[in-house]
Amino acid sequence: MLTLSHLSKAYAKGNVKAVDDLSLHVQRGEIFGFIGPNGAGKTTTIKMICGIINPDAGSICVHGHDLAKEPLAVKQDIGFVPDAGSVYERLSGLEYLHFLADIYGVDAQTRAARMEKYLDMFELQDAADSPIKSYSRGMRQKLMLTGALLHHPPLWILDEPMVGLDPRAAHLLKQEMRAHCDAGNTVFFSTHVLDVAERLCDRIGIINHGRLVAVGTMEELRAGETGESLEELFLELTEGEEDRA
């Protein structure tokens, strides 16, 4: 579903490597957790996958499409929720959702059904006609999650999706992530909530200083050790990298 090959991105005239020779394959039907310390390269990687910024080297393939050769096909196959929570504040919630549905070519009947489903799920029905500038941080997050699912994307990319959500909404989001993958799609998400990643993800990748330092299931990450939590593994792997930096 998603293949990154030798992906690199540098800033400050090449002096700061945000992503360094990253190769990764994410399979169809899995929830893949992408974790790392602040500044490790998670958001830069996600922005390259979504075509927001261009890599300096390497390639990105989504659902059989090469991003460099077929950017529109790749973007059509992605539903993206950024970590910033930025959205068109002067629109109402419904206007925003219809705008996204128009962009992705979702027909009237399908969009109506999906809007009803997710607005009801996230308890946004009463606020749907109100301007987004009146929404709380959590309400905006729920609206963006709804918008990213309207076209039923094969690849759902979520950057810190739990931020701002109340416990009930976070629980519903996790259920929806699993249901999306059970339907043959894929979820790629970053998070700092390690216990959520440990319970929810089929596989996990740990990035530090722009390099992938570990990837696999929890059993594979433990490498035969028993009882070691993701938090312990994360600290061990990233502390080791920090000591060498």
Side-chain angles (χ1 to χ4, degrees), residues 81 84-89 96 124 131-146 165:
V81 178
S86 300
V87 69
Y88 301 108
E89 292 189 340
Y96 172 76
L124 288 176
I132 297 171
K133 64 182 178 182
S134 68
Y135 285 21
S136 68
R137 174 68 175 87
M139 292 169 68
R140 294 182 186 209
Q141 187 74 355
K142 294 174 185 178
L143 185 68
M144 289 191 296
L145 289 165
T146 298
L165 295 183

Side-chain angles (χ1 to χ4, degrees), residues 92-115:
S92 70
L94 281 179
E95 287 172 337
Y96 172 76
L97 294 178
H98 280 295
F99 171 66
L100 290 180
D102 287 341
I103 288 176
Y104 287 107
V106 183
D107 64 77
Q109 183 176 358
T110 301
R111 75 173 67 179
R114 289 178 182 163
M115 284 182 192

Side-chain angles (χ1 to χ4, degrees), residues 146-169:
T146 298
L149 282 173
L150 287 179
H151 63 297
H152 196 63
L155 177 60
W156 201 17
I157 298 180
L158 312 174
D159 197 357
E160 296 289 347
M162 309 294 175
V163 173
L165 295 183
D166 57 75
R168 182 178 185 277

Side-chain angles (χ1 to χ4, degrees), residues 55-75:
D56 295 331
S59 63
I60 299 166
C61 185
V62 175
H63 205 208
H65 301 290
D66 187 315
L67 177 60
K69 298 176 181 178
E70 303 176 271
L72 290 181
V74 168
K75 292 175 183 180

Side-chain angles (χ1 to χ4, degrees), residues 1-19:
M1 177 61 74
L2 170 64
T3 301
L4 311 179
S5 299
H6 302 290
L7 202 62
S8 293
K9 181 67 179 180
Y11 297 106
K13 298 182 179 180
N15 294 318
V16 178
K17 280 272 191 178
V19 177

Side-chain angles (χ1 to χ4, degrees), residues 5-237:
S5 299
H6 302 290
L7 202 62
S8 293
K9 181 67 179 180
Y11 297 106
K13 298 182 179 180
N15 294 318
V16 178
K17 280 272 191 178
V19 177
D20 187 5
D21 196 31
L22 174 61
S23 293
L24 176 67
H25 179 67
V26 182
Q27 303 166 18
R28 181 186 299 273
E30 75 173 345
I31 299 177
F32 188 92
F34 196 50
I35 65 175
N38 291 331
K42 301 185 300 298
T43 296
T44 297
T45 300
I46 286 173
K47 286 182 176 180
M48 286 192 287
I49 295 170
C50 295
I52 298 171
I53 59 176
N54 295 321
D56 295 331
S59 63
I60 299 166
C61 185
V62 175
H63 205 208
H65 301 290
D66 187 315
L67 177 60
K69 298 176 181 178
E70 303 176 271
L72 290 181
V74 168
K75 292 175 183 180
Q76 185 71 34
D77 285 340
I78 289 174
F80 173 48
V81 178
D83 65 337
S86 300
V87 69
Y88 301 108
E89 292 189 340
R90 294 190 178 184
L91 298 180
S92 70
L94 281 179
E95 287 172 337
Y96 172 76
L97 294 178
H98 280 295
F99 171 66
L100 290 180
D102 287 341
I103 288 176
Y104 287 107
V106 183
D107 64 77
Q109 183 176 358
T110 301
R111 75 173 67 179
R114 289 178 182 163
M115 284 182 192
E116 181 179 6
K117 172 185 175 180
Y118 294 115
L119 289 174
D120 179 67
M121 175 188 295
F122 290 126
E123 299 180 330
L124 288 176
Q125 310 98 317
D126 293 341
D129 287 319
S130 300
I132 297 171
K133 64 182 178 182
S134 68
Y135 285 21
S136 68
R137 174 68 175 87
M139 292 169 68
R140 294 182 186 209
Q141 187 74 355
K142 294 174 185 178
L143 185 68
M144 289 191 296
L145 289 165
T146 298
L149 282 173
L150 287 179
H151 63 297
H152 196 63
L155 177 60
W156 201 17
I157 298 180
L158 312 174
D159 197 357
E160 296 289 347
M162 309 294 175
V163 173
L165 295 183
D166 57 75
R168 182 178 185 277
H171 174 71
L172 291 170
L173 172 59
K174 288 180 280 187
Q175 288 186 323
E176 191 61 31
M177 291 165 70
R178 176 50 63 193
H180 195 61
C181 290
D182 288 346
N185 303 297
T186 299
V187 173
F188 183 96
F189 83 108
S190 72
T191 183
H192 285 120
V193 187
L194 298 185
D195 60 333
V196 169
E198 182 170 359
R199 294 194 309 270
L200 187 61
C201 295
D202 299 301
R203 288 195 305 140
I204 293 168
I206 301 176
I207 186 173
N208 199 28
H209 296 300
R211 300 187 68 89
L212 195 66
V213 296
V215 63
T217 64
M218 278 302 301
E219 290 74 17
E220 290 167 343
L221 292 176
R222 289 189 183 109
E225 299 294 331
T226 58
E228 204 167 2
S229 69
L230 180 58
E231 181 180 34
E232 292 168 328
L233 291 165
F234 176 86
L235 292 174
E236 178 184 340
L237 289 166

